[in-house]
Amino acid sequence: MNPNSPWLLLVVFICCAIASTLLCQAARLFFPKFRSGEHKPGTHRADLPTGKREIRTIELPLVGGPAFILAIVGVGIASGYLLNFERDQWILLFISLGAMLGYAMVGFIDDWRKVYRNEGLSEIAKFSGVFLVGAGAAALYFYLLPQSGQISYSLWKDLPILNTFLCPTPIPHHPEICSVAGNPVGYYGWLIFLMLMTGVIGSLTSVSVDFSDGLDGLAGGLVFSASLGLGIVVTGLVGTQPNGVVLEVLALLGAGAILGYLPWNWPSAWAARRGHATRRAKIYMGDSGALGMGGLLAMIAIFSRNETLLLMIGGAFVLEGLSALISARLLTRFFRRYLTILRFAHANTFVPHTEFPLPFLATPLHHHFDLLGWDRRRLVYAAWALGACFAVLGIMVSLVPFSWQRYIGRFLIILLAILIWSSGSWSKNYFVGKHFVAGARRHRLALYYGYPFRIMGLNLYHLVEVVEASEDVIETPAEELALWQRMAIFDARAMLGLYCYRAGYYPAAQAQWTRIPERNRVLRPEIVHLLNELENQLALEKQETQPIRRQDILRHKEEPILEGNLPPADLPNPYEPVSEEENHSGPLKIWTANTPGYPIESDDEEIKVTTPLNGDVLLSRPTAELHQDNSTGTKSRTHTSRSHEMPKK
């Protein structure tokens, strides 16, 4: 058989997809209780104790990763026999599959500890593990495949200072590569550099894929587009280099395995805390799948000498990883140590990280938009489209014949990344303004995020909600000037609550103020004072200060069930619009362990949520349920088995 036949490669792709689907189904049936018991509190009530019960309908089995990893290994070995691989091709295949298994094993150990010890690997242990796997794969590649592994190449051999070590013997008629054989300095210099480069690139890629696995289907779709993009790029090596067909098979195996896994992790608008939509996802890939697929992408890129192209094709992963690294690991720690917020300098209380001028509401990046209230299914679809755009642009950069076309492609990739990154700055700041409501004589006050501008008919803002108070409550010029000024969500909520309180809409004011997390509310003592007065007044109106009956005193009140990554259901999201029910009756009833009928996996119609821009009405009960503590690098994926750190989870 001709190993370069596209039909045989298509058969490999289809077989891997089918095997992945069947193994995912089998893993779900045989290991339904392999679910994470790890608990990481959200940002709003970290002080609330956990209950010692587990809600297994929230957590899903962490079996998707091991299932499609086994499918890749099995179909990969079978494809070697089908395509009549030679010795060097078998060696490259086993090195790549072995590296993928090594990355997956580190992730599986992390998953195992989450299930049986309720705590994953430490950051140092996880990063060290994936780094050693990548470095070991590079050493095997160097020694077992000297005709490929002992060749230095551009871009690395052309770096200043390093070029004297990495390019001792240029190859005639091939200025882009150099042989290091026969020169001890170049030999060991390239070996050390190759191990470091592979370890770092493999670690960053695998951890970035792990970061992106925060919503159902998100990481799977991004890995599929990246694998397919690398497969198209590597197609140019098939028939020209002996190892090209192996790399092509590996890329198709990765894409096929994810294609078979996605039906079991399909995105939906489901959100556990107040969700009424059907959840389509049945399993997670877990750390084993995320780290394994990230390692496979890194091996394909390195062995095909396309490390820089991986940054372009995997641009979505780059944004996810950089957002967590810069915001949670660099800026938050720097601000915690050196930043003084003059507004709160007089206060002796702790200033939470949510008051810092961070670029995003939450990290990794997809949590920022989830907090804004975007429909989760549409958010995942938009992320898939973004990943596909990066893949297409990366392919264009690799395949176009002229340099000016490649520079245009690189410019478009950078421009797209900058636009996505900058979206955090304009969408994280809110402002209070006026909004015309049909049938009303006066404008109503409203909450917006974005910029208070309109350019060529395009709104640079988004309407979040309209409150009960009208513009008549504005009493002073200073209050009038405060409108349309961008501010933090907590200040906007405080302002709206004050206006509702002044207008006599007490439940609406209480709903606005209780949206502010406790730690942020303490920094605004005037709001705390007004809220206490308001609660006392409402309690008197409801006659809750009457003598308590003896049976009420003896009644045992259970703590909320928080086990298994379940944030407290009574905690409002400050970025979530206040519903009409809350405006008229105050904050929703606190859900506790004995509250009947809590919706977990309902088959009701999907809830409506806010749209990104150009919305005109208040949509109630959105699904922005994800919280991220950027000060500790911990993100809590609502009611799922995955909460990410770098690399601890």
Side-chain angles (χ1 to χ4, degrees):
M1 295 184 180
N2 182 11
N4 300 330
S5 173
W7 296 108
L8 291 180
L9 298 177
L10 181 61
V11 169
V12 171
F13 174 80
I14 295 175
C15 289
C16 189
I18 295 174
S20 177
T21 301
L22 296 178
L23 287 176
C24 286
Q25 182 180 14
R28 176 174 175 262
L29 294 176
F30 290 118
F31 304 99
K33 296 183 179 180
F34 192 71
R35 306 166 187 246
S36 172
E38 185 183 40
H39 172 75
K40 290 185 182 293
T43 59
H44 307 303
R45 286 285 291 279
D47 57 329
L48 200 61
T50 61
K52 298 303 180 183
R53 297 176 60 187
E54 181 179 0
I55 299 182
R56 296 189 179 276
T57 53
I58 297 297
E59 300 287 357
L60 297 180
L62 299 167
V63 296
F68 63 67
I69 290 294
L70 291 178
I72 291 175
V73 173
V75 178
I77 295 176
S79 64
Y81 288 103
L82 178 65
L83 300 175
N84 297 320
F85 280 178
E86 299 177 354
R87 176 183 176 276
D88 288 352
Q89 293 174 332
W90 276 111
I91 292 175
L92 181 61
L93 178 66
F94 281 126
I95 291 175
S96 302
L97 294 180
M100 180 191 65
L101 285 175
Y103 285 107
M105 185 57 63
V106 175
F108 184 77
I109 294 173
D110 190 43
D111 290 337
W112 184 275
R113 290 174 59 91
K114 289 178 184 177
V115 173
Y116 295 105
R117 298 187 182 181
N118 295 340
E119 184 179 4
L121 292 172
S122 65
E123 297 181 1
I124 297 177
K126 181 182 290 187
F127 195 86
S128 299
V130 293
F131 180 84
L132 290 176
V133 170
L140 293 175
Y141 180 67
F142 182 87
Y143 285 112
L144 299 181
L145 294 173
Q147 294 182 351
S148 301
Q150 297 180 13
I151 299 294
S152 63
Y153 51 89
S154 301
L155 153 84
W156 314 116
K157 77 173 188 63
D158 298 328
L159 295 176
I161 301 176
L162 287 178
N163 57 357
T164 58
F165 299 97
L166 303 183
C167 189
T169 309
I171 298 179
H173 309 295
H174 295 281
E176 73 280 1
I177 58 177
C178 287
S179 175
V180 298
N183 187 303
V185 176
Y187 185 86
Y188 291 105
W190 174 247
L191 172 62
I192 296 173
F193 180 83
L194 183 63
M195 293 177 63
L196 292 175
M197 178 190 68
T198 306
V200 171
I201 293 178
S203 301
L204 295 180
T205 305
S206 58
V207 170
S208 297
V209 174
D210 197 17
F211 277 144
S212 67
D213 189 27
L215 295 176
D216 294 340
L218 178 59
L222 295 179
V223 170
F224 176 79
S225 60
S227 297
L228 209 57
L230 283 176
I232 295 174
V233 171
V234 173
T235 304
L237 302 178
V238 178
T240 61
Q241 296 185 12
N243 295 333
V245 65
V246 181
L247 300 175
E248 181 68 23
V249 167
L250 290 172
L252 293 178
L253 288 174
I258 290 298
L259 185 63
Y261 160 76
L262 276 179
W264 299 100
N265 191 243
W266 196 256
S268 58
W270 178 88
R273 188 195 305 187
R274 292 174 184 156
H276 295 272
T278 302
R279 190 180 192 185
R280 296 175 175 85
K282 304 301 179 184
I283 59 175
Y284 300 142
M285 69 168 64
D287 278 18
S288 58
L291 295 181
M293 293 308 299
L296 181 62
L297 292 176
M299 294 302 107
I300 297 172
I302 292 172
F303 294 156
S304 64
R305 302 172 183 172
N306 285 308
E307 301 92 348
T308 56
L309 186 63
L310 180 62
L311 293 175
M312 304 177 192
I313 292 180
F317 298 127
V318 175
L319 291 175
E320 293 275 12
L322 282 180
S323 64
L325 175 64
I326 293 177
S327 183
R329 288 299 182 227
L330 298 180
L331 288 181
T332 300
R333 294 182 177 181
F334 178 81
F335 290 158
R336 177 65 63 197
R337 187 168 184 177
Y338 299 107
L339 178 68
T340 300
I341 303 178
L342 297 182
R343 175 184 175 183
F344 306 122
H346 65 281
N348 295 324
T349 58
F350 175 79
V351 178
H353 73 279
T354 46
E355 301 287 352
F356 295 162
L358 297 171
F360 306 105
L361 299 175
T363 57
L365 185 58
H366 60 269
H367 288 338
H368 171 86
F369 299 101
D370 191 32
L371 270 180
L372 292 176
W374 287 28
D375 181 286
R376 288 187 171 181
R377 180 174 53 188
R378 295 179 181 177
L379 174 58
V380 173
Y381 290 163
W384 288 359
L386 177 64
C389 289
F390 278 116
V392 170
L393 291 174
I395 294 170
M396 184 185 74
V397 169
S398 175
L399 299 182
V400 293
F402 302 107
S403 298
W404 65 269
Q405 294 173 321
R406 289 192 289 272
Y407 282 113
I408 290 178
R410 296 187 184 109
F411 172 77
L412 292 177
I413 290 174
I414 296 175
L415 179 62
L416 180 61
I418 291 175
L419 289 176
I420 299 300
W421 186 273
S422 62
S423 64
S425 62
W426 64 260
S427 58
K428 72 181 295 290
N429 288 320
Y430 289 71
F431 60 89
V432 176
K434 300 177 182 180
H435 180 77
F436 175 75
V437 178
R441 299 176 57 185
R442 307 290 289 174
H443 285 82
R444 300 263 291 275
L445 298 180
L447 178 66
Y448 302 85
Y449 71 73
Y451 291 102
F453 306 114
R454 183 184 295 116
I455 298 179
M456 299 178 64
L458 176 65
N459 296 337
L460 300 184
Y461 57 87
H462 168 65
L463 173 64
V464 179
E465 63 177 296
V466 180
V467 301
E468 301 292 326
S470 69
E471 59 182 340
D472 293 333
V473 299
I474 306 296
E475 296 179 350
T476 65
E479 292 179 349
E480 186 71 33
L481 291 174
L483 299 179
W484 312 107
Q485 302 300 316
R486 303 178 77 214
M487 63 187 72
I489 181 64
F490 315 116
D491 294 325
R493 291 287 184 194
M495 183 184 298
L496 288 174
L498 177 62
Y499 292 148
C500 291
Y501 179 83
R502 184 181 294 173
Y505 298 107
Y506 297 141
Q510 186 183 29
Q512 291 290 337
W513 288 335
T514 54
R515 274 285 196 274
I516 305 174
E518 182 66 26
R519 292 186 299 178
N520 301 88
R521 201 185 311 155
V522 170
L523 297 174
R524 297 161 176 83
E526 65 283 354
I527 298 301
V528 176
H529 177 70
L530 289 175
L531 181 59
N532 292 334
E533 288 187 355
L534 180 58
E535 289 177 345
N536 293 334
Q537 182 174 351
L538 293 177
L540 289 174
E541 292 179 358
K542 296 180 180 179
Q543 297 181 352
E544 293 180 353
T545 59
Q546 299 300 319
I548 302 177
R549 294 176 297 180
R550 183 173 183 273
Q551 56 267 32
D552 293 332
I553 298 177
L554 299 178
R555 183 180 302 166
H556 175 66
K557 296 184 178 181
E558 299 183 19
E559 294 288 347
I561 301 176
L562 302 180
E563 194 70 20
N565 257 353
L566 181 61
D570 61 318
L571 299 183
N573 174 13
Y575 311 97
E576 178 183 50
V578 176
S579 64
E580 292 296 331
E581 180 182 355
E582 292 176 277
N583 279 328
H584 293 90
S585 60
L588 296 177
K589 180 181 179 181
I590 295 177
W591 171 72
T592 59
N594 54 3
T595 301
Y598 178 67
I600 293 178
E601 289 188 351
S602 172
D603 293 330
D604 298 340
E605 294 183 358
E606 298 178 0
I607 53 179
K608 296 181 179 180
V609 298
T610 58
T611 53
L613 284 174
N614 299 323
D616 295 324
V617 296
L618 167 64
L619 301 177
S620 62
R621 301 189 124 182
T623 59
E625 309 296 340
L626 266 163
H627 308 301
Q628 163 77 14
D629 190 343
N630 285 326
S631 64
T632 60
T634 303
K635 77 181 165 71
S636 172
R637 172 179 173 180
T638 304
H639 308 293
T640 68
S641 62
R642 305 190 50 74
S643 63
H644 301 254
E645 293 181 358
M646 185 177 69
K648 178 182 177 181
K649 298 198 285 184

